[in-house]
Amino acid sequence: MCGIVGYSGHRPAGPILLEGLRRLEYRGYDSAGLALFDGDRQFYIAHATGKLDALVQRVEGTLPPATSGIGHTRWATHGEPSDRNAHPQLDPDGTIAVIHNGIIENFEELRARYARGPFHSETDTEVLAHMLAGAVERGVDLLDALRGVVAEARGAYSVVAVAVGEPGRMVAARAGNAGGIVIGTGEGEHLLASDLGALLPHTRRVTFLEPGEFVDLCADSVRYVDIEGHELTKTIEVLPYDPVSAVKGPYKHFMLKEIHEQPDAALNAMRGRYLTGPLRVDLSGDIPFDAAWAKALTRVVLVGMGTSMHSALVGRHYIERFARLPAEVDNSAEFRYRGPVLDEHTLVISVAQSGETVDTLAAMDEAKRAGCPQITICNSPGAQTTRVANATLLMRAGPEIAVASTKTMVASMVLLHALALYLGRLRGTLAPDVEAQQVQAALHLPAAIGAALNLGGQIEVLADRYADSRDFLFLGRGLGYPAALEGALKLKEVSYIHAEGYAAGEMKHGPIALIDDQFPTVALAPRDDVFDKMRSNIEQIRARKGPVIALVSAGDRSLEGVATDIVEMPEVDPLLTPIVAVVPLQLLSYYIATRRGADVDQPRNLAKTVTVE
Ligand code: F6R
């Protein structure tokens, strides 16, 4: 999740952009850059590798007195952190400057079709400048040109562009559900940013760009259109002075905000780790171990609690499949008292968003005593778990305020996928074509998660229908099983409805006795190799009059007339299904809880960080 900021007004733009980037630096800090209008014939461009201070030093004493421009702070996906890969990216003649957040999935195809000269970077961004420059040269207006580009560039992203001949004008788009853009309206000035934080020092009058919307702004005007060019009427929201409410932005609760931050959370977890050209995973910046070490491993044990343990269950599949190591998952609190059999060839992976969960720390101590190498997956830099483990994979999901974990689960599943691929490569158990296919599939995740967020309307209807239920069953098989456990956990913790997650095959061994027409089941039934078995389970429940909400693969109509309700999940690689499937499950819990009047962000009896046994 890169940081984007833009300013058009009457004050010197350079310092405003640098201050905005400072507030966005948490989103990415491997390089940064600026484009300012230097008169109406050229841009002043500055790039610097490293943290924002490197850019500040580079521009010192050289900033032109421009009153508009754009700035960017980057977290690399396509191309290493370097000056030439930093944004803004330009077309070969330097007439268009573009900054972007997200992934352009088909950028190679676009490069082949629209190159106007050599490419100077490895980014997926640069081609957008080439495309815009081509259209503008043909006399197309900048906003119309951006609509044309977005129509062709696949993925979930946001993008801002400026053109030399039009000082003070900025056009921007939000494509798909990743990477939001907020527009701030001040006195004779407009700003835009990927995050409210960069706008709040200047204005509290803001407008949020929705997926598929475009904005065209100057110092004293702003207009919104859709992809067809139809004018949109959007109202300015005035944010309260209360800083907590301000940070929630347009969302009623932090939980909903954080659910919507998941495309960014996935992207942010991947940045600099999933690489293109060639497609591969590289965790050498996080994990100091080499191939000899990886080949000597005999076993993996994953530990965690609650949602983090459910992530670990997904990770087990990945590790067994890609790294070909026997893997087991344990609840941290059980693990430590069992006298587990461990040695220096057992890799212990702990998952803990807080990094402070006492049971997980105790399990890690047990592993440390046995001399196990340890990797921890954590969202809090410097937390306890990161000090015990030999290596840390930081989630970089940003603060999670709601007590119920959402975006940190997505981030941790992505990181377990990355870790399994990386271990597989080090151990020589992963074919390069499988690695490339999985990396390509993972790069589609932000868009797929974004598409899953679009299911919100349908899920609200289901929430209306089922909010009064007393009990719920969640069923899944294979990778659907951890997702079912998570669906049940989310529902019980935020709505206080009794819910159980089960491996679907287990249903006949007891839980089926509960089924009647008042006991709904959520069944995860993607088109994978256990689909037929899931279908039979659904039929068994329906035969006993139990309502079934089935989560199925995109376009699969085969359960129509079998399940009571069908939710089609967006298209995603079968192995990555749980990372997308948790999204409708989280939304279901959220909307049911709000209909029951529950305190969604701070459910009773719970705490965000559990530091007692
Ligand atoms: C559920 C939830 C908890 C945590 C658990 C572990 O929504 O948030 O189940 O997953 O308390 O916390 P961490 O990941 O901080 O170890």
Side-chain angles (χ1 to χ4, degrees), residues 333-469:
E334 291 297 315
F335 175 80
R336 58 182 299 205
Y337 293 117
R338 224 185 44 227
V341 181
L342 300 167
D343 62 24
E344 66 276 18
H345 299 300
T346 304
L347 171 63
V348 173
I349 301 173
S350 49
V351 184
Q353 65 79 23
S354 63
E356 304 288 345
T357 300
V358 73
D359 289 313
T360 301
L361 283 165
M364 291 176 74
D365 281 346
E366 185 76 27
K368 193 171 181 181
R369 275 193 291 277
C372 304
Q374 296 199 56
I375 297 174
T376 195
I377 296 181
C378 179
N379 196 36
S380 314
Q384 290 284 356
T385 53
T386 69
R387 280 180 254 153
V388 179
N390 305 91
T392 300
L393 284 169
L394 267 184
M395 296 181 190
R396 310 171 186 152
E400 192 173 65
I401 311 288
V403 167
S405 292
T406 53
K407 62 178 178 174
T408 53
M409 182 181 190
V410 159
S412 59
M413 288 188 284
V414 167
L415 289 174
L416 285 162
H417 180 254
L419 179 56
L421 292 173
Y422 188 60
L423 288 175
R425 176 138 55 75
L426 291 181
R427 289 170 51 77
T429 53
L430 179 68
D433 59 327
V434 176
E435 181 177 6
Q437 182 275 330
Q438 282 296 303
V439 170
Q440 186 74 58
L443 290 173
H444 175 62
L445 271 173
I449 296 169
L453 293 171
N454 292 337
L455 296 169
Q458 187 189 358
I459 304 283
E460 284 203 68
V461 174
L462 293 175
D464 286 336
R465 192 172 307 152
Y466 292 107
D468 293 331
S469 304

Side-chain angles (χ1 to χ4, degrees), residues 6-87:
Y7 176 79
S8 180
H10 47 83
R11 295 186 281 157
I16 293 176
L17 296 177
L18 288 172
E19 186 210 322
L21 290 179
R22 178 79 63 205
R23 287 170 170 263
L24 297 174
E25 203 181 5
Y26 79 93
R27 298 176 66 95
Y29 39 78
D30 63 40
S31 54
L34 285 180
L36 295 168
F37 287 96
D38 194 6
D40 61 359
R41 306 205 69 80
Q42 61 176 5
F43 290 125
Y44 164 94
I45 300 284
H47 292 138
T49 311
K51 296 212 173 195
L52 184 62
D53 284 337
L55 180 69
V56 172
Q57 276 170 22
R58 185 157 296 175
V59 301
E60 202 180 332
T62 69
L63 287 174
T67 55
S68 56
I70 54 178
H72 188 268
T73 173
R74 175 170 187 254
W75 210 322
T77 50
H78 296 67
E80 59 174 12
S82 63
D83 283 12
R84 72 191 170 88
N85 286 331
H87 300 200

Side-chain angles (χ1 to χ4, degrees), residues 123-174:
T123 64
D124 51 342
T125 315
E126 190 178 0
V127 69
L128 304 181
H130 286 232
M131 293 168 80
L132 285 168
V136 168
E137 194 180 273
R138 290 194 304 280
V140 180
D141 171 74
L142 187 60
L143 180 64
D144 296 334
L146 186 63
R147 289 195 296 109
V149 166
V150 169
E152 292 202 57
R154 263 200 330 266
Y157 55 89
S158 50
V159 54
V160 184
V162 289
V164 272
E166 305 194 66
R169 184 181 182 197
M170 256 180 277
V171 297
R174 179 175 178 191

Side-chain angles (χ1 to χ4, degrees), residues 305-308 351-355 357 360 403-405 486 489-490 493 608 610:
M305 298 297 287
T307 295
S308 291
V351 184
Q353 65 79 23
S354 63
T357 300
T360 301
V403 167
S405 292
E486 179 61 9
L489 176 63
K490 273 307 76 101
E493 69 182 326
K608 186 72 189 159
V610 183

Side-chain angles (χ1 to χ4, degrees), residues 567-582:
V567 177
E568 275 185 48
M569 293 185 283
E571 210 168 307
V572 62
D573 183 273
L575 290 177
L576 300 174
T577 303
I579 307 180
V580 174
V582 292

